[in-house]
Each structure stands twice: as structure tokens, then as C-alpha cells.
Amino acid sequence: MAGAIASRMSFSSLKRKQPKTFTVRIVTMDAEMEFNCEMKWKGKDLFDLVCRTLGLRETWFFGLQYTIKDTVAWLKMDKKVKKQILDEKIYCPPEASVLLASYAVQAKYGDYDPSVHKRGFLAQEELLPKRVINLYQMTPEMWEERITAWYAEHRGRARDEAEMEYLKIAQDLEMYGVNYFTIRNKKGTELLLGVDALGLHIYDPENRLTPKISFPWNEIRNISYSDKEFTIKPLDKKIDVFKFNSSKLRVNKLMERQRLAREKQMREEAERTRDELERRLLQMKEEATMANEALMRSEETADLLAEKAQITEEEAKLLAQKAAEAEQEMQRIKATAIRTEEEKRLMEQKVLEAEVLALKMAEESERRAKEADQLKQDLQEAREAERRAKQKLLEITTKPTYPPMNPLPAALPPDMASFNLIGDSLSFDFKDTDMKRLSMEIEKEKVEYMEKSKHLQEQLNELKTEIEALRLKERETALDMLHNENSDRGGGGSKHNTIKKPQAQGRRPVCI
């Protein structure tokens, strides 16, 4: 199910071809493949070979499953392929196992259809741990009824969505992803060291669910070891240093791998942040250049319009003056007209010509005046465009830059320490409307996730209440009892939110 290459590894078809090899058949949704594996190969060797063959890059999302005694199990990466069997080492509460089963069914069968998925359709499926089945006086039909009720609520979820929800629930299990190693404190008391993605945890050997002390990775200043003695130094110097002994070299190697992996992750995050900032700086420089060019074009246009408006206004004044002079000439001709018929005719002709000329002059003067008004309006609009372009340039040159999506690690590489965002007289900071919008989206997703988690917890509690009366107390395991105690104390929430931190008690080694 979830996270697999949706591939299954069948050992039923294993047959020896050579003394030191065996054949494994891998079945995916698209193809079937056979590989010749060496007897000494571990799970990681086979998994890497499959990923290379498929061209799979996001390898951390996937894994290999195999079937043993009609039960599906995950292939462990650090063990030999030939030696793996199902052991149910990770504790899963009954109510959570029912929910996981419902998502597994959704991924396999798609949306629930009562006309197709009739009673008994899950009879051959191995969906629940045998420990859970033995803990209650419930028939297979009763378990199927409860799994189906939750399965029906997943309508509309695609296969990859169902698998992702499956993984989200699985990762909150107390023992999920934790590797345990036997250690001893200074007094010789046997303890367990748990290592996972969250940090280092110290457990009582009888209680692998609840750590006595936890050291989150981001709060660890240094991890050192000499021979067989380990020292964990917290970032907060007021918190005690923890020391323990281990007789296994494997623990030393694991701690070293964890440290190197964390340093690599920090470097990659710093490089991604630097690349993003450089990309953003280049983009903003381009925007500033474009704004500056627009400003120059606006200034040139405004100057041309101003010059044309001035010329047109002068022409309109000149035409108005000529029209006035023509009118005066007409009046003078009328006053000095000769009484003779010939002179009369000539006078009338001159008067007519003067009137026509005056009319044309008046019309041309009016047209020029309107053109001058229009040019004045165009000039005003051009100056307004120039003002906006200047404002845009000012905004671009003072606009803040985006902050990194994730906070930079406490210690950056030397080449990042001096990196800044000041160049070509442009300085930027990290306040921007896009960033505000992104923050709002992140906050919205966080609220939705919290509401969804609350709803999920309510469903789990409801199911737990329903089946509690059928629980057989005498069949409870030690882990069942510990889980119930944690739940009663309010510690049944996500392990990501309930890491117990060591108490500050002065500067002396912790003794447990």
C-alpha cells in the first residue's frame, strides 16, 4: 500500500539460478521485472536497483512490499533480503489501525460503491494487526463494518491522496521511524537510544512509546564520542549534558551519518535560499530597468507635446489677428465706397471677398484654438504618465525583497555570511505584498490542518468508545497499557507536538 512503488515483491517465485544468486520478481502497475540478486544483498541494494531501472528520482516517497504468509510487509533497507519476515514491531492503537485500513481500501478499490462493495468483500484482506484482532470480542464481519464505514467517508480521494493520508497517520505513531539502540548510563543502567527525524530520545527498555528525555536536532549543539562514550551537548548551555556508553560500533556510525545528513540538509537549504534571493534580485533589476525606460519615453513625449501646443497656440493667435484686420478692412471699404455703379460693383465684390476671407479666418482660428486645447490636455496626460513612471521607479528601487521560505540555519557557509542584496544603488528588504499573501496562505493551510486533525481525533475517540466495551483486558500487551496511560494523561496527540525536553538543572551530566 502507501508509499510503495505500488510494487510488490513476490518470493513465491524465487528460484536459484546460481549458487550465490536468487531471482526476485517486481510487479508495478505498469510492468513486471525480474532481477538476479546476490545472496548478501540487503533491502537497500534491491531497492536502489529497482529505482534505477524505473528512473525514479523521488525515492524517499517509496518502498518495496512483499507478501509472506498472506500478509503484506515492508522490505527493510538495512537487513538482508532473504532474512526478512513480518514482526509487527511498530505499535499501532486499534482505532488508528482501523483508520489506516480504511485508507488502504480506498487506495486499492477507489470510491465506495454499495452495489459493488457488498458485505464480505474484505474477507480475504489482511488489514488489521493480529494483536488488535485478538484484543476484542469482535467477528471479522464487525471489523469489516467499521472499516467500511470509514472507507465510505473517503469518497472522492484519488489513490495518491489516500496513500498520502495513510502516511500522515502512520508518521504520528509513537514508534514510527525510530531506530532503537541499547545503551548504558554512567551508573550502568540499561537504556534505549531512539534516533528518528525529530532528534535523539532516551527510553526505558520497558517503554518504547514515551521517551524519558528528548533532544530535538535543532536544539543539539554538539554530539561527540570517544571510544564507547557518547556526549550530547544541548544548544542551551543551562541544560544538562547527557553521557552514555554503547558497546556497538553501529551506534557510532549511525550518529555520524545523522550528523552528516543534517549538515548536508543545512547546506542545501542555504544554497536554495541563496539561489532564490539571486533570482529575485535579478528580476527586480529588470523591473527597474523597464520602469526607467518607460520614464524616459514619457519625458520625451511630454516635451514634444508641449512644443507642439505652444506652436499651435501662436498660430491660433496670428489667425485671430488676421481675421480682425480683415474685418476692419471690410468696414473701411464700406465707409469709403464710391457712388458710381462701377465703383459700387467693385466695392461689393471686394466686400464679398473680404467677408469670405473673414469667415475662413474665423473658422481656422476656431479650429486652431480647439487643437491648442487638445494639445494642452495631451500635455497634461503625458505629465501625469511621467509622474506615475517616476513613482513606479521609486517603488521599484525601494521595494523590499522576499525573505527565505524557511529560516536560515544558525550557521551558514562562509560564502553566505557576507551575502547581501545591495547592488547597483538598489537596496531591498523582505516586506512585500506577495510575501503577505504567501503568509496568509500558509496560515490558512495551518488552520485547515489543525481543524482536520481535530476532526480526525474526534473520529478516533468515537471509534475507541464504540469498541471499548468489547475489549478483552486480559489480552492487553504492555504496549497497550502504556498507550492507554499516555492517552489518559493527555499525551495521545501527535508525537511531533509532544517532544519532552530535558530540564535545566545546572551544568552537570544527566543521570537517568
Side-chain angles (χ1 to χ4, degrees):
M1 213 314 273
I5 295 174
S7 60
R8 288 201 177 163
M9 180 173 60
S10 173
F11 282 94
S12 59
S13 62
L14 295 181
K15 52 184 179 182
R16 293 180 181 265
K17 290 186 176 181
Q18 303 177 27
K20 293 185 179 181
T21 64
F22 60 92
T23 301
V24 175
R25 182 166 59 92
I26 303 293
V27 182
T28 72
M29 294 181 65
D30 304 317
E32 293 188 10
M33 301 167 287
E34 283 194 358
F35 298 96
N36 290 329
C37 304
E38 297 181 12
M39 299 297 292
K40 63 181 180 179
W41 273 19
K42 293 185 178 180
K44 188 177 187 305
D45 299 317
L46 176 59
F47 179 70
D48 290 343
L49 178 59
V50 174
C51 291
R52 289 197 301 272
T53 304
L54 295 177
L56 190 65
R57 294 183 179 182
E58 297 83 359
T59 57
W60 50 87
F61 286 124
F62 301 95
L64 290 175
Q65 292 178 339
Y66 64 95
T67 303
I68 181 169
K69 297 181 181 179
D70 299 324
T71 302
V72 175
W74 290 97
L75 185 73
K76 294 181 177 61
M77 298 297 173
D78 58 346
K79 290 187 177 181
K80 288 186 178 180
V81 176
K82 293 286 289 182
K83 292 186 177 181
Q84 300 196 36
I85 59 173
L86 184 66
D87 53 19
E88 295 187 11
K89 284 186 176 181
I90 299 178
Y91 176 79
C92 181
E95 59 274 15
S97 64
V98 174
L99 181 57
L100 289 172
S102 69
Y103 278 115
V105 176
Q106 176 71 20
K108 182 174 182 178
Y109 292 97
D111 287 346
Y112 172 69
D113 185 347
S115 63
V116 176
H117 306 123
K118 298 181 179 179
R119 177 173 294 186
F121 82 104
L122 297 178
Q124 303 303 317
E125 299 286 349
E126 296 285 345
L127 296 171
L128 298 174
K130 291 182 174 57
R131 175 187 56 78
V132 173
I133 296 175
N134 295 334
L135 190 57
Y136 294 87
Q137 285 184 315
M138 295 175 62
T139 64
E141 292 75 16
M142 295 169 69
W143 283 117
E144 181 181 290
E145 179 182 351
R146 281 162 173 77
I147 293 174
T148 303
W150 283 44
Y151 166 40
E153 292 191 11
H154 304 329
R155 177 177 298 277
R157 291 185 183 273
R159 176 176 181 174
D160 56 344
E161 292 178 304
E163 292 182 350
M164 186 58 67
E165 293 299 323
Y166 187 104
L167 290 174
K168 287 179 181 178
I169 297 168
Q171 73 177 2
D172 271 349
L173 299 178
E174 292 96 325
M175 296 176 64
Y176 179 87
V178 182
N179 291 312
Y180 297 92
F181 303 92
T182 301
I183 61 173
R184 293 182 181 276
N185 62 9
K186 285 292 187 178
K187 296 181 180 179
T189 305
E190 186 172 297
L191 299 168
L192 290 178
L193 171 66
V195 183
D196 66 5
L198 299 179
L200 303 178
H201 317 280
I202 309 301
Y203 296 85
D204 188 298
E206 304 300 322
N207 183 358
R208 298 191 177 206
L209 295 181
T210 312
K212 299 166 70 67
I213 293 179
S214 287
F215 299 91
W217 289 118
N218 62 348
E219 296 182 12
I220 297 177
R221 176 163 52 96
N222 186 28
I223 301 174
S224 59
Y225 55 87
S226 175
D227 194 13
K228 298 179 181 179
E229 183 179 80
F230 278 81
T231 301
I232 302 175
K233 296 180 180 179
L235 200 61
D236 186 349
K237 295 183 179 181
K238 295 181 180 179
I239 299 178
D240 300 344
V241 174
F242 181 77
K243 293 186 178 182
F244 62 89
N245 295 316
S246 173
S247 59
K248 296 185 178 180
L249 181 62
R250 183 184 173 195
V251 178
N252 301 3
K253 293 181 178 179
L254 176 68
M255 299 289 283
E256 182 66 14
R257 285 201 303 270
Q258 290 284 353
R259 183 183 65 82
L260 293 175
R262 183 162 174 263
E263 291 179 355
K264 179 182 177 182
Q265 180 183 4
M266 290 171 64
R267 286 196 303 271
E268 290 175 350
E269 289 180 356
E271 290 172 358
R272 284 196 298 269
T273 301
R274 180 187 61 193
D275 293 342
E276 174 62 21
L277 293 177
E278 290 177 346
R279 184 194 66 79
R280 183 60 181 163
L281 176 60
L282 179 60
Q283 178 182 349
M284 297 188 78
K285 285 182 177 179
E286 291 175 353
E287 292 178 1
T289 301
M290 293 174 63
N292 194 41
E293 291 175 354
L295 175 60
M296 293 176 64
R297 289 194 297 271
S298 297
E299 290 175 345
E300 292 174 358
T301 303
D303 292 342
L304 290 174
L305 288 174
E307 183 179 352
K308 188 173 182 181
Q310 184 179 358
I311 294 173
T312 304
E313 187 174 3
E314 291 175 355
E315 289 179 350
K317 289 180 179 179
L318 182 59
L319 287 171
Q321 182 181 352
K322 288 183 178 181
E325 292 175 353
E327 180 66 23
Q328 291 174 2
E329 180 65 15
M330 182 186 69
Q331 295 299 329
R332 187 185 65 79
I333 291 172
K334 283 182 179 181
T336 60
I338 308 175
R339 295 184 180 274
T340 64
E341 290 296 327
E342 184 65 25
E343 288 175 340
K344 246 178 163 183
R345 187 182 63 76
L346 292 173
M347 181 193 69
E348 288 175 354
Q349 184 179 354
K350 288 184 179 181
V351 168
L352 181 60
E353 290 176 353
E355 287 178 348
V356 171
L357 179 60
L359 180 60
K360 288 183 178 180
M361 290 295 184
E363 290 177 352
E364 181 67 15
S365 176
E366 184 179 357
R367 186 182 68 79
R368 291 287 185 167
K370 289 182 179 180
E371 185 177 352
D373 291 339
Q374 182 62 41
L375 287 172
K376 285 181 180 179
Q377 183 178 351
D378 292 344
L379 175 60
Q380 184 177 0
E381 291 177 356
R383 285 174 175 167
E384 178 62 21
E386 178 184 350
R387 186 192 64 79
R388 289 196 300 269
K390 288 181 178 180
Q391 181 64 27
K392 177 65 176 178
L393 180 60
L394 180 60
E395 291 176 357
I396 289 296
T397 57
T398 58
K399 183 190 292 185
T401 320
Y402 292 96
M405 295 302 293
N406 296 314
L408 288 173
L412 292 176
D415 59 334
M416 284 294 293
S418 60
F419 182 75
N420 59 62
L421 291 179
I422 300 178
D424 298 342
S425 300
L426 298 176
S427 71
F428 308 98
D429 56 28
F430 292 118
K431 298 178 183 175
D432 193 274
T433 54
D434 291 340
M435 193 60 200
K436 292 180 181 177
R437 184 170 63 253
L438 179 61
S439 299
M440 291 176 64
E441 291 175 359
I442 293 174
E443 187 63 27
K444 180 180 177 182
E445 290 180 1
K446 186 187 296 183
V447 171
E448 291 176 353
Y449 175 77
M450 295 299 294
E451 291 177 352
K452 185 176 180 181
S453 299
K454 182 180 179 181
H455 176 66
L456 175 62
Q457 193 58 45
E458 290 173 353
Q459 287 182 304
L460 290 171
N461 292 337
E462 181 180 349
L463 175 62
K464 184 177 181 180
T465 303
E466 288 178 3
I467 63 178
E468 186 64 28
L470 301 174
R471 191 183 187 99
L472 299 173
K473 297 290 186 181
E474 64 275 10
R475 294 185 182 178
E476 287 185 346
T477 66
L479 290 177
D480 288 321
M481 297 177 185
L482 288 170
H483 176 76
N484 292 336
E485 290 176 5
N486 289 344
S487 298
D488 293 340
R489 289 197 300 265
S494 168
K495 69 177 180 181
H496 295 75
N497 301 324
T498 55
I499 294 182
K500 296 174 64 178
K501 297 181 180 179
Q503 302 295 321
Q505 301 175 349
R507 197 73 172 95
R508 65 179 188 282
V510 173
C511 294
I512 299 181

